[in-house]
Amino acid sequence: MSTTAKKKTASKKQTTAVKTASKSSARFNVGTDKEAMKTSILNHVQYTLARHPESAEPDEWWLATCYAVRDRILDRFMETQRVHHQQKVRRAYYLSLEYLMGRLLVNNVHNSGLFEPTREALKELGQDFDSIAAEEMDMGLGNGGLGRLAACFLDSLATLDLPAIGYGIHYEFGLFRQEFSNGFQVEHPDAWQEKGCPWEIMRPNFVQEVKLYGRVEHRMDDKGKFHPEWVDYSTLEGMPFDVAIVGHGAETVNFLRLWESRASQEFDFNVFNQGGYVEAVREKAMGETISKVLYPNDNTESGKELRLAQQYFFVSCSLQDIIRRFFDGHDNWDEFPEFNTIQLNDTHPAVAVPELMRLLIDDHRMDWEKAWGIVRKTFNYTNHTLLPEALEKWSVPLFERMLPRHLEIIYEINARYLEQEVEAMWPGDDRKKAELSLIEEGEPKMIRMAYLSVVASAKVNGVAALHTELLKKHLFSNFHALYPQKIINMTNGITPRRWLLACNPGLSELITEKVGDGWPKQLSQLDAISKFADDAKFQKRFMEIKRANKVAFAEFVKESCDVEISPDALFDVQIKRLHEYKRQHLNLLHILTLYRRLLNDADLDIAPRVFIFGAKAAPGYALAKNIIRAINKVAEKVNNDPRVNGKIKVVFPENYRVTMAERMIPAADLSEQISTAGKEASGTGNMKLALNGALTIGTLDGANVEIQEEVGEENIFIFGKTVEEVEEAREQGYNPYDYYNSNWELKSVIDWLQSDYFTPGEHDAFAPLTESLLGGGDPYLVLADYADYIRAQEEVDKAFKDQKRWARMAIMNTARVGKFSTDRTISEYAEHIWKLKPVKIG
Ligand SMILES: *Cc1c(COP(=O)(O)O)cnc(C)c1O
């Protein structure tokens, strides 16, 4: 048979296959029933993994199952991309250095409607779906809230049929694996790819080349036009890995493209020719270092050379990829902003601004004004924090060494914007110019990446109403005056598919029974269960489900921590990165207060409580690590002290991550959201917990404010200083000793921590912690909020003892937090920032 004939037969076969499939299932070209899944899983065991089904191990069943699911998803993926390409759609590009994806199998079978057939197929193959799914390692390519938000956004973008692509880094090691040893946090590398990565597809055809280092030569081109040239640079390659992102209902399948750094083939070759074998290999190692590991800092800036290399590497690959895709269908730069909108997730990808300028001006020979016009219509920036230590600034000398041409461009952007815009607004005001300059004077000079992002973006958004107001009032007040329409609010959310449907099947079934199955896509429908809040039968079922989740979590705690906890106790949960501003130490002071009260009065009438923590500390954050040690050591004492009679327990399972959150959240009664007011931009853990029927004890900070508005004051426990009161306390010269000396109970628990009671024979074990609270000036006002926190906790205790009241409150929380779906958040981004329309597939 000739080649053409072969091709014809193949395409004919394909058409028949498509037709057959569209009869049995509108969505897939391959069968999606139990039998088809069974065949497919078995085929992958045998022909992908080369194993006999009789001897296949659980991780191989997991792999084969993922491949079988992936086959079905890829059909939709290719169809989605075909439609997007054919219709020349406008696309949103999400640039993020972090994606905290967690496991993908459970989520993918739910979103693609393959959950039941997959589970049934595995059952007939003698395998249990849950234990197979548990084989998957978390894809933990992020630190905390920011990375998890990016993952939830991808889920909603696909679910809402919005054409979007996420870009990031294919880290070889994600966030470190945490262990405890004698209460200390110990970090281990996270080898998430150890068992294989069935979800990703390597795309050698779309490799990109990236330059670094070198210098700029200032030349004239043949028309006498100034033409700077970047020379003597090193080159790297970016290899893309794509992960399909399945929307709920599996209409649209978008993708996340992650870049892995490699040494450039060509560069190696040149050095080889000069006889520099060792140099070539070293250069290669440096090429491969860039995507090696995720920086484990949450909300702090590192300022390290490798970090800037990571940022530039993924940004440059992504922009070149975006431009390539644009010109595969368009031929005119003027149309670029019409078809492309780029979201910067924090300032981590802000170097995209000078990079796009460089590509336009140097590589595509565009005029400055035209290029700047395109840039300003293309980019948007999300700010995630007001914490000064988290605001990225790059030293000018470092930038100059690594990205010499980009530094020139930033200087040029700065000069023009100061001369034109700042001068027009505040004529002759040099102080304003210094305040607003993209360059901070000093030794060395620093580039303010947040300012660069604001100046270059069409829209800038905060992540909760309060946060956005504070941005306008403080961090960006000058910019708000200069560009009054630019700063807007986009309150964060969470995907209800992962954070209710998949992680809490008991509650999901109950909700579906009452309100139908539309809620995972229309979360505000949950409001319909509020009418059952006082219904005794409904309350009973709701609380039985909560109890079953607590039983399951108690079993996990028994296995992993060797601590027995009672599912009848109040599960008091604080799960989030360990940070002073999040105030895990305030929670600890409450534990110590109860412990002390119990030692004084064994009959103290309190509801039994289990304090549950999950948190990683940045490896270089000594105080955060000291707080972890303190919690672990207090836990040891409390859990083994017969005098407390089991009334309180403290558990801190190792290695908090998405998968752990999915276990803890459905089991939580109380959600600790106790940051110092003004410090937590939004929080999303607060939303996940409320959605699963946990009551919040919290400050008026971040999205807690909006959660209170939704659930009502009577269904939340608010305490502590407000933002205004915090500002006032600071202005009046806050002194923690005033509180320490006037509250004997507070004094005694801090003194207790200063003794060696919790670390017998080891003195000053928690000196960093107690010092920061006292001599260190208590920067996060822990002592100032202590008394009101204890009061609020007593109200919690009272409410929990009245199980009917508690049930009502819990139901109202689940019912009333529909606003916090990322479907709502993403719809707002699509309307107000991206001007993006849904595109129906098939
Ligand atoms: C949601 C989530 C976070 C964010 O929690 P906050 O309480 O908002 O800080 C962090 N880590 C993981 C694993 C999460 O799932």
Side-chain angles (χ1 to χ4, degrees):
M1 210 193 285
S2 77
T3 359
T4 30
K6 258 188 206 159
K7 266 191 194 152
K8 265 187 191 155
T9 321
S11 72
K12 199 174 174 190
K13 259 190 199 151
Q14 211 178 344
T15 334
T16 334
V18 173
K19 273 188 193 145
T20 325
S22 61
K23 260 184 227 154
S24 59
S25 147
R27 293 192 185 131
F28 301 97
N29 291 344
V30 278
T32 57
D33 58 10
K34 178 193 69 187
E35 284 307 318
M37 288 305 294
K38 214 166 108 182
T39 309
S40 193
I41 293 169
L42 274 176
N43 276 340
H44 281 296
V45 166
Q46 295 183 71
Y47 306 123
T48 305
L49 304 173
R51 293 286 278 175
H52 284 294
E54 303 84 64
S55 55
E57 305 275 347
D59 57 335
E60 292 168 321
W61 283 110
W62 164 71
L63 265 176
T65 306
C66 293
Y67 283 124
V69 172
R70 192 184 84 168
D71 289 344
R72 275 112 191 121
I73 290 169
L74 288 187
D75 271 342
R76 300 308 300 164
F77 169 76
M78 287 184 290
E79 177 62 5
T80 303
Q81 299 318 311
R82 190 189 64 77
V83 171
H84 288 176
H85 181 257
Q86 191 185 39
Q87 297 188 8
K88 297 192 178 179
V89 299
R90 174 174 170 84
R91 284 192 184 85
Y93 292 104
Y94 200 76
L95 265 53
S96 178
L97 213 51
E98 302 189 12
Y99 291 91
L100 199 51
M101 303 293 283
R103 288 178 182 156
L104 298 180
L105 175 59
V106 177
N107 202 61
N108 284 347
V109 292
H110 274 288
N111 278 5
S112 58
L114 294 170
F115 176 56
E116 283 303 331
T118 306
R119 203 177 56 150
E120 291 297 312
L122 280 171
K123 200 167 153 191
E124 290 192 6
L125 292 165
Q127 305 297 321
D128 171 55
F129 178 83
D130 289 339
S131 20
I132 293 305
E135 286 294 316
E136 185 164 345
M137 302 272 281
D138 271 39
M139 192 175 178
L141 310 186
N143 274 286
L146 176 146
R148 185 53 234 174
L149 184 75
C152 286
F153 276 9
L154 295 180
D155 182 85
S156 283
L157 281 162
T159 299
L160 295 172
D161 291 311
L162 292 166
I165 295 172
Y167 281 111
I169 292 181
H170 192 262
Y171 298 107
E172 185 176 339
F173 300 103
L175 186 60
F176 65 85
R177 181 166 54 80
Q178 176 194 57
E179 283 184 8
F180 296 139
S181 164
N182 186 23
F184 291 104
Q185 168 175 293
V186 181
E187 301 95 22
H188 299 277
D190 159 54
W192 67 281
Q193 309 181 72
E194 217 164 40
K195 295 180 180 176
C197 308
W199 302 112
E200 65 188 25
I201 297 162
M202 188 167 79
R203 300 263 187 213
N205 291 350
F206 298 119
V207 162
Q208 295 293 348
E209 193 167 279
V210 176
K211 303 173 194 172
L212 270 178
Y213 304 108
R215 61 198 169 79
V216 184
E217 276 188 1
H218 296 106
R219 298 185 180 148
M220 296 289 181
D221 66 14
D222 41 11
K223 295 191 188 96
K225 208 176 136 198
F226 177 59
H227 179 54
E229 197 163 337
W230 189 1
V231 296
D232 294 345
Y233 48 75
S234 307
T235 53
L236 300 164
E237 264 178 14
M239 175 67 76
F241 288 80
D242 292 352
V243 179
I245 305 293
V246 188
H248 185 80
E251 299 298 339
T252 291
V253 176
N254 286 326
F255 64 96
L256 169 63
R257 178 159 286 183
L258 300 173
W259 301 97
E260 184 173 288
S261 68
R262 310 252 166 125
S264 156
Q265 304 297 322
E266 204 161 332
F267 188 85
D268 280 353
F269 187 69
N270 288 334
V271 181
F272 272 122
N273 281 355
Q274 292 154 24
Y277 171 76
V278 171
E279 286 70 20
V281 172
R282 201 186 50 207
E283 198 66 39
K284 190 162 158 65
M286 130 72 185
E288 278 156 15
T289 299
I290 288 184
S291 59
K292 201 81 172 166
V293 60
L294 167 78
Y295 272 90
N297 304 332
D298 183 73
N299 264 317
T300 46
E301 195 255 326
S302 74
K304 295 279 179 6
E305 182 163 342
L306 180 60
R307 169 81 170 184
L308 181 57
Q310 287 186 338
Q311 296 183 347
Y312 179 65
F313 162 73
F314 109 89
V315 154
S316 180
C317 290
S318 308
L319 284 177
Q320 293 180 69
D321 201 43
I322 292 167
I323 292 169
R324 174 194 56 75
R325 189 174 299 106
F326 173 68
F327 279 104
D328 179 17
H330 301 267
D331 51 16
N332 185 352
W333 274 112
D334 292 329
E335 292 183 338
F336 189 81
E338 218 178 291
F339 290 93
N340 302 283
T341 178
I342 302 178
Q343 192 68 33
L344 305 174
N345 194 24
D346 211 308
T347 58
H348 313 152
V351 68
V353 170
E355 172 67 355
L356 184 54
M357 285 300 283
R358 185 191 68 83
L359 290 167
L360 295 177
I361 295 170
D362 295 358
D363 291 6
H364 297 275
R365 313 304 300 272
M366 197 180 283
D367 289 344
W368 181 280
E369 289 299 337
K370 186 172 170 187
W372 185 235
I374 289 176
V375 163
R376 277 190 145 177
K377 283 189 211 128
T378 302
F379 287 111
N380 302 288
Y381 155 57
T382 305
N383 172 280
H384 286 271
T385 180
L386 298 152
L387 299 180
E389 65 269 29
L391 295 175
E392 284 192 308
K393 289 172 187 171
W394 289 107
S395 105
V396 166
L398 169 62
F399 221 90
E400 185 163 29
R401 208 154 45 76
M402 189 171 263
L403 300 168
R405 178 64 185 133
H406 298 76
L407 181 65
E408 289 184 350
I409 291 170
I410 289 171
Y411 272 130
E412 182 74 21
I413 293 172
N414 195 36
R416 288 174 185 243
Y417 130 87
L418 290 176
E419 281 307 307
Q420 293 160 18
E421 294 168 7
V422 179
E423 174 61 23
M425 181 87 183
W426 294 283
D429 190 341
D430 287 344
R431 223 191 57 193
K432 273 283 180 231
K433 289 203 184 77
E435 257 178 53
L436 276 155
S437 174
L438 305 186
I439 308 296
E440 184 179 271
E441 291 302 323
E443 200 46 62
K445 289 183 181 159
M446 305 291 280
I447 309 170
R448 295 161 163 161
M449 301 307 276
Y451 288 14
L452 173 64
S453 306
V454 174
V455 171
S457 291
K459 292 287 178 196
V460 172
N461 75 283
V463 289
L466 175 66
H467 169 62
T468 303
E469 286 317 302
L470 293 174
L471 275 183
K472 291 181 189 170
K473 191 165 157 218
H474 298 293
L475 186 60
F476 296 150
S477 59
N478 282 324
F479 291 110
H480 186 49
L482 192 57
Y483 314 119
Q485 308 303 318
K486 200 178 268 202
I487 303 173
I488 58 175
N489 180 243
M490 294 282 133
T491 298
N492 281 166
I494 55 170
T495 169
R497 274 74 66 179
R498 181 177 291 265
W499 297 112
L500 182 51
L501 182 65
C503 77
N504 197 343
L507 184 55
S508 298
E509 273 169 40
L510 177 64
I511 293 170
T512 299
E513 188 187 311
K514 291 293 175 190
V515 311
D517 61 3
W519 61 268
K521 274 186 135 162
Q522 292 291 332
L523 199 60
S524 50
Q525 289 180 8
L526 288 190
D527 198 24
I529 67 162
S530 55
K531 66 171 176 283
F532 303 111
D534 286 308
D535 177 324
K537 254 167 69 190
F538 187 81
Q539 284 189 351
K540 183 157 172 280
R541 290 183 64 194
F542 192 93
M543 294 313 279
E544 274 169 5
I545 290 161
K546 179 62 79 182
R547 192 172 189 285
N549 294 336
K550 289 165 76 174
V551 168
F553 185 67
E555 279 164 17
F556 167 74
V557 166
K558 176 73 188 133
E559 262 168 48
S560 61
C561 311
D562 197 25
V563 178
E564 303 240 11
I565 58 176
S566 161
D568 295 315
L570 189 166
F571 280 16
D572 178 338
V573 173
Q574 188 170 22
I575 46 176
K576 49 185 73 256
R577 283 300 287 258
L578 204 304
H579 229 293
E580 286 167 274
Y581 85 80
K582 293 178 182 280
R583 300 200 296 192
Q584 279 93 351
H585 43 348
L586 177 57
N587 190 342
L588 183 62
L589 292 182
H590 173 237
I591 296 172
L592 290 170
T593 303
L594 285 187
Y595 186 24
R596 203 173 163 284
R597 287 180 185 178
L598 281 165
L599 294 188
N600 286 331
D601 173 10
D603 297 326
L604 188 73
D605 178 26
I606 57 165
R609 263 201 214 219
V610 182
F611 295 90
I612 298 163
F613 289 90
K616 288 176 181 173
Y621 189 174
L623 180 48
K625 290 177 126 175
N626 192 240
I627 295 171
I628 287 185
R629 176 113 200 280
I631 296 169
N632 277 326
K633 284 292 161 183
V634 168
E636 234 175 85
K637 264 282 188 238
V638 167
N639 297 343
N640 296 299
D641 192 334
R643 295 172 296 175
V644 307
N645 211 359
K647 276 194 176 152
I648 56 173
K649 292 261 167 105
V650 183
V651 294
F652 196 160
E654 294 168 323
N655 204 28
Y656 178 61
R657 61 197 189 284
V658 170
T659 293
M660 178 88 70
E662 288 165 1
R663 262 199 253 283
M664 290 172 154
I665 288 167
D669 293 306
L670 187 65
S671 161
E672 297 271 355
Q673 307 299 338
I674 60 178
S675 52
T676 314
K679 296 293 177 188
E680 186 77 88
S682 163
T684 50
N686 47 2
M687 302 166 185
K688 300 168 197 166
L689 284 152
L691 181 61
N692 284 272
L695 308 193
T696 301
I697 181 166
T699 48
L700 286 175
D701 198 16
N704 295 353
V705 175
E706 289 158 82
I707 291 177
Q708 182 186 28
E709 281 169 15
E710 297 299 308
V711 305
E713 283 179 27
E714 68 284 12
N715 296 313
I716 190 167
F717 302 94
I718 295 293
F719 74 96
K721 291 196 180 302
T722 61
V723 172
E724 291 75 25
E725 288 163 351
V726 167
E727 283 170 5
E728 207 177 310
R730 288 236 176 75
E731 279 160 22
Q732 292 171 358
Y734 170 66
N735 182 356
Y737 280 101
D738 296 343
Y739 292 89
Y740 175 77
N741 289 320
S742 62
N743 184 334
W744 59 269
E745 200 169 28
L746 171 59
K747 180 171 185 303
S748 44
V749 292
I750 293 180
D751 292 351
W752 210 7
L753 274 177
Q754 283 175 322
S755 77
D756 75 342
Y757 182 84
F758 300 98
T759 52
E762 184 189 341
H763 293 272
D764 299 325
F766 312 130
L769 165 54
T770 54
E771 253 318 287
S772 99
L773 291 180
L774 296 171
D778 186 17
Y780 296 93
L781 282 81
V782 173
L783 274 61
D785 276 347
Y786 168 82
D788 202 33
Y789 181 53
I790 300 296
R791 174 203 56 78
Q793 287 288 16
E794 285 165 359
E795 300 225 348
V796 169
D797 178 73
K798 209 169 105 194
F800 191 74
K801 283 174 184 154
D802 179 350
Q803 281 285 300
K804 280 208 159 318
R805 176 176 167 212
W806 190 271
R808 185 196 145 75
M809 293 173 81
I811 293 165
M812 289 306 285
N813 269 264
T814 298
R816 290 279 161 85
V817 293
K819 166 177 172 183
F820 303 105
S821 166
T822 33
D823 295 346
R824 188 267 314 149
T825 313
I826 286 295
S827 304
E828 289 178 6
Y829 274 85
E831 182 181 346
H832 298 290
I833 302 182
W834 300 330
K835 317 275 182 237
L836 199 61
K837 293 264 176 324
V839 175
K840 286 284 171 197
I841 310 294

